[in-house]
Amino acid sequence: MQNKKIAVFGATGKIGLELIRLLSLAKIDTVAVTRNLRRAVPHPYIEWIEADIAHKNSLHAAMKNCSAVFLLSGNSPDFIKEQKNVISTAKELNIQYIVKLSSGAADKNAHFFIPKTHGIVEDFLIRSGIHYTMLRPNGIMQNWLGDIANSVRKERRFHESTGDGKRAHVDARDVSAVAFACLTNPAKHYDKIYLLTSDRALNYYDVAEAISKAIDEEVRYIPISLQQAREEMERQGMPAALVDTFISYDAAQRNGETQIVTDCVRMILEKPALTVEQFAKDYATHFQ
Ligand SMILES: NC(=O)c1ccc[n+]([C@@H]2O[C@H](COP(=O)([O-])OP(=O)(O)OC[C@H]3O[C@@H](n4cnc5c(N)ncnc54)[C@H](OP(=O)(O)O)[C@@H]3O)[C@@H](O)[C@H]2O)c1
């Protein structure tokens, strides 16, 4: 069918992979974009295309005959230019709708890299005249499958610098389901901004308890200072702009500024948000 396909950028990532699975189940013709076809995961109705948003001339082929776009990419130094390339190409191709995966703290005037760059791209998208939905997850549970899971597997404890501050991390599977709901019923979600959280703000003592129950062994959360967290990120070679961003997130949580809970997931999916207990159960093997 002409002009009815959906283009998904970030189709190999935490959110995009689940999104293309949902689109495939719904038999919706979709173009899934990756920079390397070796990462493609085959599904019916999903056509994989190799393209790089850093190179605008590679995007026309990926986005032609599409009516909507899901825009997600990693936090690269050229993030603004790269995401603007997708939006400009959509404009040239008269694509009507973009669902942008943004940041919970997106703000073009923010001081730190991730919220600032997302805020600038959001602003560009709004000004483009293309209908949009901004999905702003306020932290994703699947982040815990990295350093936290590694540490739990090795020594049944993990470190964070958020003290007993709380945040209502959202399960990436709910974010994918919200993106699917938007892309398949666009007019309902035109020009909306959704801050996505789970239904309950938790601290890392709560997360440790949920993981303990899921693997049936005691897991301990060990609070560390912001300075210790900074040194660990630097030791891992993380770029300074990202270290500063993540420390600012941890500081905000530590200071009790991130406890917000929204009903966006519940309202859009017409079900409660996935809980940390469900997350820990479903991903238990990552922590064992
Ligand atoms: N983690 C959180 O808690 C959280 C919260 C709010 C917002 N976010 C935002 O979520 C976004 C994704 O985060 P992530 O890094 O964790 O994602 P991820 O799951 O690692 O996925 C990144 C995806 O972007 C694609 N990609 C990256 N650069 C690309 C390029 N130049 N051209 C085409 N595709 C490209 C990758 O595809 P290939 O590698 O296959 O090409 C991959 O599918 C970021 O913008 C982040 O700010 C994250």
Side-chain angles (χ1 to χ4, degrees), residues 61-188:
M63 295 166 67
K64 69 173 192 260
N65 300 329
C66 289
S67 59
V69 171
F70 177 72
L71 174 54
L72 178 152
S73 61
N75 301 305
S76 96
D78 288 328
F79 181 84
I80 296 171
K81 180 172 169 267
E82 291 169 354
Q83 292 221 335
K84 281 184 175 179
N85 280 343
V86 177
I87 297 167
S88 303
T89 306
K91 188 80 185 162
E92 287 156 22
L93 292 169
N94 201 24
I95 291 174
Q96 300 295 315
Y97 185 45
I98 296 183
V99 176
K100 171 173 160 49
L101 195 286
S102 188
S103 153
D107 175 359
K108 66 179 177 181
N109 298 313
H111 186 64
F112 296 104
F113 181 82
I114 295 177
K116 186 180 183 70
T117 53
H118 277 294
I120 291 170
V121 175
E122 280 194 359
D123 195 50
F124 185 78
L125 174 53
I126 291 168
R127 286 164 189 269
S128 74
I130 299 172
H131 288 297
Y132 61 84
T133 305
M134 312 300 181
L135 304 184
R136 295 177 169 182
N138 201 24
I140 290 174
M141 292 183 193
Q142 277 72 6
N143 294 345
W144 305 331
L145 301 177
D147 285 349
I148 289 185
N150 286 340
S151 177
V152 169
R153 278 199 307 276
K154 274 195 215 125
E155 47 186 25
R156 293 291 180 254
R157 59 187 188 154
F158 65 88
H159 305 84
E160 286 292 331
S161 63
T162 51
D164 60 2
K166 295 186 175 181
R167 185 185 285 272
H169 285 80
V170 62
D171 192 304
R173 294 170 294 181
D174 278 340
V175 180
S176 308
V178 167
F180 174 81
C182 294
L183 290 163
T184 52
N185 195 358
K188 189 171 174 192

Side-chain angles (χ1 to χ4, degrees), residues 144 200 202 204-216 219 275-281:
W144 305 331
R200 192 163 49 111
L202 303 169
Y204 277 110
Y205 294 107
D206 302 318
V207 175
E209 194 181 322
I211 299 171
S212 301
K213 277 196 189 127
I215 68 170
D216 204 17
V219 171
T275 62
V276 68
E277 288 78 16
Q278 188 67 49
F279 168 87
K281 201 171 146 199

Side-chain angles (χ1 to χ4, degrees), residues 103-105 112 115 138-139 160-169 201-204 221 224-226 229-230 233 243-260:
S103 153
F112 296 104
N138 201 24
E160 286 292 331
S161 63
T162 51
D164 60 2
K166 295 186 175 181
R167 185 185 285 272
H169 285 80
L202 303 169
N203 61 35
Y204 277 110
Y221 161 48
I224 58 172
S225 68
L226 291 169
R230 175 181 288 282
M233 289 181 216
V243 174
D244 289 344
T245 300
F246 294 135
I247 291 296
S248 77
Y249 290 170
D250 282 6
Q253 184 168 340
R254 199 180 169 94
N255 296 335
E257 297 161 17
T258 57
Q259 303 195 30
I260 185 162

